[in-house]
Amino acid sequence: MESGGGGGGGSGSGRRLRKTESAEMRWVVPGGACEEDEIESSDDGGADTPAAASGSRGGGGSDDDDDGYEEDEMLRQRLVRTGPRADSFDVEALDVPGVYRHQEFTIGRSIVLTLQTLGVVFGDVGTSPLYTFDVMFNKYPITSKEDVLGALSLVIYTLILIPFLKYTLIVLWGNDDGEGGTFALYSLICRNAKASLLPNQLPSDTRISSFNLKVPSVELERSLKIKERLETSSMLKKLLLMLVLFGTSMVIADGVVTPAMSVMSAVNGLKVGISSVNEGEVVMITVAFLIVLFSLQRFGTSKVGLAVGPALFIWFCCLAGIGIYNIRIYGSQVLHAFNPLYICYYFERNPTQAWMSLGGCLLCATGSEAMFADLCYFSVRSVQLTFVFLVLPCLLLGYLGQAAFLMENLTQSQQVFFLSIPSQAFWPVVFIATLAALIASRAMTTAIFSTIKQATALGCFPRLKIIHTSRKFMGQIYIPVMNWFLLVSCLAFVTVFGSINEIGNAYGIAELGVMMMTTVLVTIIMLLIWQVNIIVVLCFLTLFLGLELFFFSSVLGSAADGSWVLLVFAAVLYLVMYIWNYGTKLKYETEVKQKLSMDLLMQLGCNLGTVRAPGIGLLYNELVRGVPAIFAHFLTTLPAMHSMIIFVCIKWVPVPVVPQNERFLFRRVCPKNYHMFRCIARYGYKDVRKENPQAFEQLLIESLEKFIRREAQERSLESDHNDDTDSEEEIASSSSRVLVGPNGSIYSLGVPLAESAGADNSALGSSASFDGSLDEAMDGRRSLDNELSFIHQAKESGVVYLLGHGDIRARKESFFLKKLVINYFYAFLRKNCRRGIATLSIPHTRLMQVGMQYMV
């Protein structure tokens, strides 16, 4: 039984009902011979109390509690959680967690993975030599060779500190079970501290094996204090969400600027090879390339990544080869730039010029965030090894070669890369550079797709159509609407700015915005989850946040040149995400407040005040507890109600993947003769949902039958061990003293282990295990058969999907700003986003919809 808004009856009948109907079952489908069950009890407030599987002791209290507790501990050691198994119960995910991520790699497979990593992850950072020195020396001319050495030293140590030290060695380990990006960090924090503003968390969510919670140790009370402070302060929760939304908006803005910058800088090579090409023609060619680029995005990461991987490998070889050639031709004096003192000399001679060049210097680290956000496609080790042994050495050689050329050609500070190419290899390198720039643009776009999916799953972005482009890798996705939105925005930036120097400053703002948010979130993870020494945390925060703020001061100094457009663009995206999250939160809270009282349902009786026609009604709603108010509208609107009602709640939890054998929670609503059930289907933000309605219905019925059988078994155990269980406390005690073993055997914690181990659990009425009455066992069996027969008859009559559309409107007495946000902005977003019916793949021929409006 679930407690509604009015509470669950305080009378004797209510207590009697609670005794027989209040147990909430969380169970899993057998995978081979392995099966796990968990029993939970719910209190009047609807909160879940961990019972057997969570390791809590019974609440009834007895003289044998101490001995029973020792037996509990011994029994828990035997009931070990099994790993994810492939079974037919999960019809909404095409892949089993771990099947592809943890497969064994052969040498050939490793080579293919390396090429895909290059094509997907490192395209952005790999093309930075095309424009870094151009932007650095755009506003001030080079006056001496020492300026070149100082600028080169800045580039070298920026590469070492940000992409290598910060991201490759530290931030990549902050992934959320293989997922990277701003929202993956936020998800990791929400899972370890209840920092989400949406109040739909269940205690049972923390028992998903993907959570991998690490309980803070006694020595590090700091972690506990931070967790408590974060959970109790709504202001800190809002601040954390605002930081995450700001970082996400800058990621999307970065995805707009990256293609414009990369492709235009590559096309600029035509001006070196063909003197008649002007700036306008460069813009037109760039626009054509961008249209082709975004049109090919739908073909998927693995296909395109494998196709362009070899091209990017050739590009990195070209960078290294050209660098070695220029060092050999123009001298090895550039190697002195590894001495960081040249940075100090650079700022001493020309402080203003050095400070203004920081914005251009940062461009050598572009792609660092994409490297983290695209982590979902590959493993941490593959990204780290590829960067350390291939990408970083080639980048350093490329910058050293350009600096060697500049030291002998101080006046040629624009188009440095193309001017430094040997004449014999010019056109092949221009072709490879253009191809690499297109690849770099894809890297950031795929990162945005991953981030948008995570944000949507956590209620921070309007629902959009998501296409999964790979049958083998569930994380590879394509979002059509976002793809074309990025194309239009990118074309607008190219035509408005028309120069890589102006775009470069906007590029730096977007990159730094994301980097600073990542630094703050990783710092929180260090304190809360990793439990790193406070000195190490302060060093990390001081070094990287201070460095990024120093860079940010430089790029903001040039914001008036046109970069403010990007800030406005990011601000609009931020408002869209914040308004959506705010409206979603208000809608959910209102639905919780207005849910139906269980007293009302009890007064209506088992027929619910209407005619119960044969059939099954699947009512989709967002509540994890209680009966939604929209159900009352179905009762008053429809001439009859189905003989069996199942409330289906699709719940997104802050983990990448929910194992298939832990996806579903089932609960009976009201007494048996009501034939009402709740099913909570939990999904991670990386789970794939493609449903076949017929298969879904069949598997749902089979799962319901297994639930009812198991419920009957456990009630039989309760009756054996509890002669008088009229009170709620005794019910909680008995529920918590029943366990189901991994092999499907039933154990009672009130029976000694030796006796339980020797019992024949397949015969629950056996006198060797339990002292039950034969008549009671037969009555229970007949009741079980009758209910299973009722389910079969209802299934044969048909399954109908009941969908309620709940909209919200601000009350008349609300503030003007709230009315504007809810009645217009949020309503506009909700009207134009992907509807729930499309997301759930519900057949239109068996769909019934009812609308409802909530005043907030």
Side-chain angles (χ1 to χ4, degrees):
M1 172 179 171
E2 298 182 346
S3 299
S11 63
S13 60
R15 296 184 64 182
R16 182 71 180 174
L17 173 66
R18 190 170 182 83
K19 180 195 74 171
T20 58
E21 306 296 343
S22 65
E24 174 190 354
M25 310 293 186
R26 189 180 81 82
W27 57 278
V28 296
V29 180
C34 294
E35 189 170 333
E36 178 191 9
D37 280 300
E38 180 179 293
I39 303 173
E40 300 176 331
S41 62
S42 59
D43 56 18
D44 288 335
D48 296 340
T49 303
S54 62
S56 62
R57 299 176 59 181
S62 69
D63 295 335
D64 296 328
D65 274 354
D66 293 336
D67 295 335
Y69 182 72
E70 294 177 1
E71 292 173 3
D72 292 4
E73 293 298 318
M74 294 175 62
L75 188 54
R76 287 190 202 99
Q77 295 178 7
R78 299 178 57 190
L79 303 180
V80 180
R81 183 188 295 277
T82 59
R85 302 179 63 90
D87 54 58
S88 60
F89 188 71
D90 181 19
V91 299
E92 297 158 335
L94 298 178
D95 303 285
V96 181
V99 171
Y100 302 104
R101 183 176 292 278
H102 303 292
Q103 56 186 317
E104 295 182 1
F105 292 106
T106 61
I107 295 178
R109 176 60 188 160
S110 299
I111 294 175
V112 170
L113 186 62
T114 300
L115 293 177
Q116 287 184 331
T117 306
L118 283 174
V120 176
V121 178
F122 297 112
D124 196 358
V125 70
T127 54
S128 59
L130 290 174
Y131 44 76
T132 298
F133 279 134
D134 293 5
V135 178
M136 284 187 73
F137 299 119
N138 172 47
K139 296 185 177 181
Y140 293 93
I142 304 174
T143 57
S144 65
K145 294 182 178 181
E146 286 73 17
D147 290 346
V148 177
L149 285 177
L152 176 61
S153 188
L154 265 177
V155 169
I156 289 174
Y157 283 98
T158 300
L159 275 174
I160 292 174
L161 289 174
I162 296 181
F164 175 64
L165 182 59
K166 177 186 172 182
Y167 280 92
T168 305
L169 299 185
I170 300 176
V171 174
L172 286 185
W173 293 112
N175 67 87
D176 184 14
D177 194 20
E179 287 286 323
T182 306
F183 265 96
L185 295 174
Y186 180 62
S187 167
L188 197 59
I189 294 172
C190 289
R191 195 162 69 246
N192 288 271
K194 296 178 181 178
S196 175
L197 290 176
L198 199 62
N200 66 343
Q201 297 89 4
L202 288 173
S204 53
D205 294 337
T206 61
R207 292 191 287 277
I208 300 174
S209 62
S210 300
F211 266 78
N212 294 326
L213 294 181
K214 178 182 178 183
V215 180
S217 62
V218 178
E219 295 78 13
L220 294 178
E221 295 181 1
R222 162 176 48 87
S223 179
L224 278 173
K225 292 179 180 178
I226 294 174
K227 179 176 182 292
E228 181 182 2
R229 180 64 175 166
L230 188 58
E231 290 179 347
T232 55
S233 175
S234 59
M235 182 61 67
L236 288 180
K237 292 180 181 180
K238 292 179 180 178
L239 180 61
L240 179 62
L241 178 65
M242 291 170 63
L243 291 175
V244 171
L245 296 183
F246 173 76
T248 305
S249 65
M250 297 305 283
V251 168
I252 300 175
D254 194 3
V256 172
V257 182
T258 296
M261 187 70 179
S262 300
V263 177
M264 181 172 285
S265 60
V267 176
N268 268 336
L270 297 176
K271 292 163 57 176
V272 177
I274 306 173
S275 57
S276 60
V277 175
N278 57 37
E279 198 69 35
E281 292 171 340
V282 168
V283 171
M284 292 176 59
I285 296 173
T286 301
V287 168
F289 274 130
L290 289 174
I291 294 175
V292 173
L293 168 69
F294 283 94
S295 299
L296 296 176
Q297 192 75 38
R298 62 188 178 90
F299 289 105
T301 300
S302 58
K303 301 171 187 176
V304 180
L306 184 59
V308 302
L312 208 60
F313 177 77
I314 296 174
W315 165 249
F316 280 110
C317 292
C318 288
L319 282 179
I322 295 171
I324 294 173
Y325 171 82
N326 286 325
I327 293 172
R328 182 180 177 184
I329 295 297
Y330 299 108
S332 60
Q333 187 180 356
V334 289
L335 298 177
H336 295 163
F338 282 97
N339 184 350
L341 290 177
Y342 280 94
I343 299 177
C344 300
Y345 300 153
Y346 186 40
F347 276 89
E348 286 179 1
R349 287 190 307 272
N350 304 292
T352 304
Q353 177 181 347
W355 179 73
M356 293 296 294
S357 67
L358 286 175
C361 176
L362 177 74
L363 298 183
C364 72
T366 56
S368 300
E369 188 63 31
M371 183 170 61
F372 179 48
D374 283 327
L375 186 62
C376 58
Y377 303 108
F378 309 100
S379 65
V380 173
R381 285 297 184 191
S382 65
V383 174
Q384 288 178 326
L385 293 176
T386 305
F387 182 81
V388 172
F389 293 104
L390 178 61
V391 176
L392 183 59
C394 292
L395 287 175
L396 290 176
L397 286 173
Y399 285 116
L400 289 170
Q402 290 187 45
F405 171 82
L406 272 176
M407 291 182 70
E408 300 299 326
N409 301 274
L410 296 178
T411 58
Q412 300 180 2
S413 60
Q414 296 298 303
Q415 317 296 336
V416 179
F417 173 77
F418 294 105
L419 292 174
S420 65
I421 300 174
S423 58
Q424 301 87 344
F426 179 80
W427 288 111
V429 172
V430 170
F431 174 77
I432 295 296
T434 304
L435 190 58
L438 294 173
I439 297 169
S441 304
R442 271 199 102 260
M444 200 62 219
T445 306
T446 54
I448 289 175
F449 290 163
S450 177
T451 301
I452 292 299
K453 186 175 188 296
Q454 297 170 14
T456 302
L458 296 177
C460 296
F461 204 90
R463 292 185 299 268
L464 301 175
K465 182 179 181 180
I466 297 176
I467 299 175
H468 296 267
T469 60
S470 174
R471 291 184 178 271
K472 294 183 177 181
F473 299 94
M474 71 175 78
Q476 299 184 4
I477 59 175
Y478 167 68
I479 306 179
V481 173
M482 206 65 203
N483 185 68
W484 302 122
F485 171 75
L486 292 175
L487 172 61
V488 173
S489 303
C490 187
L491 295 181
F493 267 82
V494 169
T495 53
V496 169
F497 289 102
S499 169
I500 64 170
N501 294 321
E502 295 182 7
I503 297 177
N505 193 66
Y507 199 6
I509 291 178
E511 284 286 337
L512 282 167
V514 181
M515 288 179 180
M516 289 188 293
M517 293 306 103
T518 300
T519 301
V520 173
L521 293 176
V522 171
T523 301
I524 297 175
I525 289 175
M526 283 182 168
L527 293 169
L528 182 65
I529 305 171
W530 294 350
Q531 301 177 4
V532 179
N533 187 281
I534 189 65
I535 297 177
V536 177
V537 176
L538 290 177
C539 290
F540 172 84
L541 181 64
T542 304
L543 174 61
F544 292 109
L545 188 59
L547 182 65
E548 288 155 3
L549 287 174
F550 189 45
F551 278 111
F552 198 60
S553 66
S554 175
V555 295
L556 280 184
S558 304
D561 295 340
S563 301
W564 60 270
V565 176
L566 186 72
L567 294 175
V568 173
F569 179 81
V572 172
L573 292 173
Y574 173 84
L575 288 176
V576 168
M577 290 185 288
Y578 188 84
I579 289 173
W580 181 262
N581 180 266
Y582 176 69
T584 302
K585 176 176 173 289
L586 281 182
K587 180 175 178 292
Y588 184 85
E589 290 176 343
T590 305
E591 288 180 343
V592 171
K593 293 178 182 177
Q594 297 186 10
K595 62 185 180 181
L596 295 184
S597 167
M598 296 307 297
D599 289 339
L600 175 62
L601 293 179
M602 296 302 298
Q603 292 173 6
L604 291 177
C606 61
N607 288 329
L608 301 175
T610 183
V611 179
R612 299 293 292 270
I616 298 177
L618 301 181
L619 197 155
Y620 283 83
N621 67 104
E622 298 180 1
L623 292 184
V624 295
R625 299 188 186 97
V627 178
I630 197 73
F631 183 57
H633 281 247
F634 279 106
L635 292 177
T636 56
T637 303
L638 301 180
M641 183 52 63
H642 303 84
S643 58
M644 178 173 290
I645 300 295
I646 302 177
F647 298 99
V648 182
C649 173
I650 305 296
K651 182 171 183 289
W652 299 97
V653 293
V655 295
V657 175
V658 175
Q660 296 183 20
N661 60 349
E662 300 181 22
R663 188 173 306 284
F664 296 95
L665 292 172
F666 276 89
R667 176 183 294 176
R668 187 185 291 274
V669 182
C670 297
K672 281 187 178 181
N673 57 348
Y674 278 65
H675 301 294
M676 296 170 62
F677 301 88
R678 170 173 297 285
C679 173
I680 300 179
R682 299 177 296 178
Y683 290 86
Y685 54 73
K686 216 179 104 178
D687 278 320
V688 181
R689 297 186 63 249
K690 290 186 178 179
E691 299 174 349
N692 183 312
Q694 290 74 24
F696 174 73
E697 294 164 10
Q698 181 64 32
L699 291 172
L700 181 65
I701 299 305
E702 292 176 359
S703 303
L704 183 59
E705 292 175 354
K706 294 175 184 178
F707 163 73
I708 291 174
R709 288 192 180 98
R710 187 153 293 106
E711 182 188 46
Q713 291 176 346
E714 300 193 6
R715 292 195 186 285
S716 175
L717 289 178
E718 287 181 14
S719 63
D720 290 339
H721 292 282
N722 297 275
D723 295 329
D724 184 12
T725 55
D726 286 336
S727 67
E728 297 178 9
E729 291 80 6
E730 291 172 340
I731 286 296
S733 174
S734 63
S735 297
S736 65
R737 300 181 65 81
V738 180
L739 286 179
V740 182
N743 61 353
S745 301
I746 307 296
Y747 296 93
S748 174
L749 297 182
V751 181
L753 263 180
E755 182 179 348
S756 296
D760 183 359
N761 293 289
S762 61
L764 294 177
S766 174
S767 60
S769 301
F770 308 102
D771 297 326
S773 169
L774 182 60
D775 292 339
E776 292 179 359
M778 293 300 295
D779 291 341
R781 182 63 186 177
R782 281 194 295 268
S783 175
L784 174 63
D785 292 340
N786 291 337
E787 189 163 15
L788 294 178
S789 176
F790 184 87
I791 293 175
H792 291 158
Q793 294 175 6
K795 173 66 170 63
E796 292 175 357
S797 300
V799 178
V800 176
Y801 294 81
L802 308 175
L803 190 65
H805 290 296
D807 294 323
I808 60 174
R809 298 281 295 179
R811 299 181 184 273
K812 292 183 178 180
E813 62 271 17
S814 300
F815 293 109
F816 171 77
L817 184 60
K818 183 177 181 179
K819 291 181 180 178
L820 182 65
V821 169
I822 296 299
N823 297 347
Y824 296 97
F825 294 153
Y826 179 74
F828 174 81
L829 293 175
R830 188 171 175 83
K831 181 180 179 180
N832 290 277
C833 74
R834 188 170 171 82
R835 305 292 292 182
I837 180 174
T839 305
L840 298 173
S841 302
I842 296 176
H844 291 268
T845 55
R846 287 180 290 154
L847 173 67
M848 304 183 75
Q849 301 184 63
V850 169
M852 183 174 180
Q853 190 173 91
Y854 299 102
M855 303 303 294
V856 298

